[in-house]
Amino acid sequence: MGEFVGIDPRGAEQLVQQMSTGKNVLASTRHGLETAIAEAGEAWTGQQGVTPMHRSWAFFDETQRDLKWRMDTLKQMVPTSGNGLMSVIFTFGSENEAARQGKADAAPIAEALRKHEIESSVESWRKVTAATAVMKGKLNDPAYAAAVLSALGPEKFRALFMHWMKNRGPAMDKGLSPNAIKEGRETLGPLAEAYANAERAGRLGEEWQGPFMKATQPGVLTAIVAMSKPSTKLLNQVALKVLGRPLTADLPTSENWNLNVLVEAYDANPQALQTLLAQNKEAAGWLLHPQRVRMSGISGFEGKVAGVLDKALKPGAGVDSVREQAWVNIIRGMGAKDSPW
C-alpha cells in the first residue's frame, strides 16, 4: 500500500516559489554573515553563529525538493490538475525510495539484455519482457522513471528497442505499423513510458537530450512516442528529427509509419502541432510538401493530415497568438521562392 497524498496544486506551487525566494535571500547574505561572525568571534551578539542560517537553507531546500517531487508525481497521475485539493495514492513514500527502487529494477533489465545479446532466442527475449514488466505500476513516479533510465543508460535503452525491431524490415528507419506497435508494447511500453514521464518532469540528464535524439534512429523515436504519452516538447523534437530528413530518405519502398505515428500523436495533442508550426518556420514545408504525402505509402494519409491540421489551426484552437504565428509561417512557406506549391 502506498502513501495517501493530498495537495492543492496552486498553493503548493506558490509555496515552492516562496521557498526559492527564501533560499535566494539566505544565499545572498550567507557570505557576508559568515565573514562578519568569524571576524566578531565571541563578540558576535547571536548565540548560535552560522548554524541556524545553514539549517534554514537546508530545511527550505529539502522541503522544496520533496514538494516538487510530489507535484511532479501528482501531475503524472492527474494530468489535468485544477484548483483545490487533489488526492492520490503514491507508490513510494519519498523521492529517495523511488530512485532506489528504479535503480534496483533496472539491474535485471540490463542483465536480461546482456544474456539476450549472447543467446538471441525467443526465451531470452521473454526474460527481457519479464524484467521490464516489473516497472508497471511504478512509472507514474518520475523519480523512479528517471532512476531506471539513469541506471540503464542511453546505449542499453536504445539497444532494447533495436533488438526487437531489427527483424521487422525497415522499422528502425521508417517506423512500426500499428499492429507492430501493439505487439511491441508488452516489452517496450514500460521503457517508452519511463522516458516520456521522466522527460515531462524535467528529470532527464543531458545525455538523454540532444545527444540521444541525434544518435537514435527515427523508428525508435517514433516507437517511444507511439507507446507513451509524450510531452509537447518531446513530440516536437521527434517530429523535427523525422520531418527534417531529406525527401529522398522517404522513398516509397515501404510505408513510412513514422509519419503515421506523428499524425496520430498530433491528433491527440493538436496544440503541440500548433506550437511546432509557430516555432519552426520550416516545419510547415516539411510536413505539407506534396511529395511527403504522396510517398508516405499509407492509405488515407492525406485525409489524416488535413484532419489534424484542422484541429490545430481552426478558429479558437489553442492560444490565439500561437495559432496566428503558425498561420503566418504556413502562408510564408507556401509563398516562398522554390516552394513546391
Side-chain angles (χ1 to χ4, degrees):
M1 184 68 175
E3 179 186 3
F4 177 82
V5 176
I7 297 178
D8 174 1
R10 178 174 293 182
E13 289 174 357
Q14 289 177 346
L15 185 57
V16 167
Q17 293 174 357
Q18 289 167 350
M19 285 189 285
S20 290
T21 301
K23 286 168 60 179
N24 291 337
V25 170
L26 289 171
S28 65
T29 58
R30 178 175 178 173
H31 178 71
L33 281 172
E34 287 178 337
T35 301
I37 291 171
E39 291 176 350
E42 294 182 359
W44 178 252
T45 55
Q47 296 182 357
Q48 299 183 51
V50 298
T51 301
M53 178 176 63
H54 293 169
R55 286 177 177 170
S56 296
W57 191 94
F59 171 76
F60 279 149
D61 185 62
E62 182 180 350
T63 304
Q64 185 183 39
R65 284 190 291 108
D66 180 75
L67 187 54
K68 184 180 184 304
W69 163 70
R70 293 174 186 274
M71 286 299 300
D72 286 346
T73 306
L74 180 70
K75 289 175 182 177
Q76 302 281 6
M77 301 176 78
V78 190
T80 55
S81 58
N83 299 323
L85 184 67
M86 304 186 71
S87 58
V88 293
I89 302 294
F90 276 22
T91 304
F92 302 104
S94 70
E95 181 177 7
N96 288 338
E97 181 187 344
R100 284 195 301 270
Q101 190 61 54
K103 183 178 180 180
D105 287 353
I109 299 173
E111 178 61 15
L113 172 63
R114 185 188 70 80
K115 291 182 177 179
H116 178 70
E117 289 177 334
I118 297 171
E119 301 172 16
S120 190
S121 66
V122 173
E123 181 58 30
S124 63
W125 188 254
R126 284 200 188 104
K127 292 178 180 178
V128 174
T129 301
T132 61
V134 172
M135 293 190 288
K136 294 177 181 178
K138 307 172 188 175
L139 290 165
N140 281 331
D141 192 309
Y144 171 85
V148 169
L149 295 177
S150 179
L152 284 176
E155 295 301 324
K156 288 187 178 69
F157 178 86
R158 187 186 298 112
L160 285 158
F161 282 83
M162 292 173 65
H163 275 290
W164 189 84
M165 298 170 73
K166 66 181 180 181
N167 295 323
R168 286 169 171 77
M172 280 188 276
D173 185 54
K174 293 198 172 183
L176 295 166
S177 69
N179 287 337
I181 288 170
K182 184 177 180 181
E183 181 185 347
R185 186 173 273 116
E186 182 180 4
T187 301
L188 304 177
L191 294 165
E193 288 182 42
Y195 185 89
N197 291 353
E199 186 278 334
R200 186 182 298 107
R203 290 175 177 264
L204 289 179
E206 180 58 34
E207 69 276 16
W208 292 94
Q209 307 287 337
F212 177 77
M213 283 285 164
K214 185 176 181 180
T216 303
Q217 296 85 344
V220 173
L221 294 175
T222 56
I224 293 172
V225 166
M227 296 180 189
S228 67
K229 294 180 180 178
S231 68
T232 291
K233 177 184 175 183
L234 175 57
L235 175 53
N236 287 348
Q237 283 179 325
V238 174
L240 291 175
K241 169 96 174 190
V242 171
L243 298 175
R245 303 201 310 168
L247 285 171
T248 52
D250 294 331
L251 291 175
T253 53
S254 62
E255 295 94 335
N256 191 337
W257 293 113
N258 288 328
L259 298 177
N260 191 65
V261 167
L262 291 180
V263 169
E264 289 189 349
Y266 282 130
D267 188 66
N269 183 6
Q271 276 67 52
L273 178 57
Q274 186 183 99
T275 299
L276 176 74
L277 296 172
Q279 292 181 347
N280 191 295
K281 295 180 180 180
E282 296 180 298
W286 291 339
L287 176 63
L288 301 178
H289 195 290
Q291 290 294 97
R292 182 83 66 188
V293 174
R294 281 199 291 267
M295 294 194 304
S296 71
I298 299 169
S299 176
F301 183 69
E302 185 174 358
K304 289 183 177 181
V305 173
V308 75
L309 283 170
D310 180 63
K311 276 190 173 184
L313 300 172
K314 64 184 178 182
V319 179
D320 289 346
S321 60
V322 177
R323 186 179 66 255
E324 289 167 5
Q325 185 59 50
W327 272 115
V328 167
N329 288 342
I330 290 173
I331 293 168
R332 285 178 176 172
M334 294 181 72
K337 184 179 179 181
D338 299 325
S339 168
W341 291 286

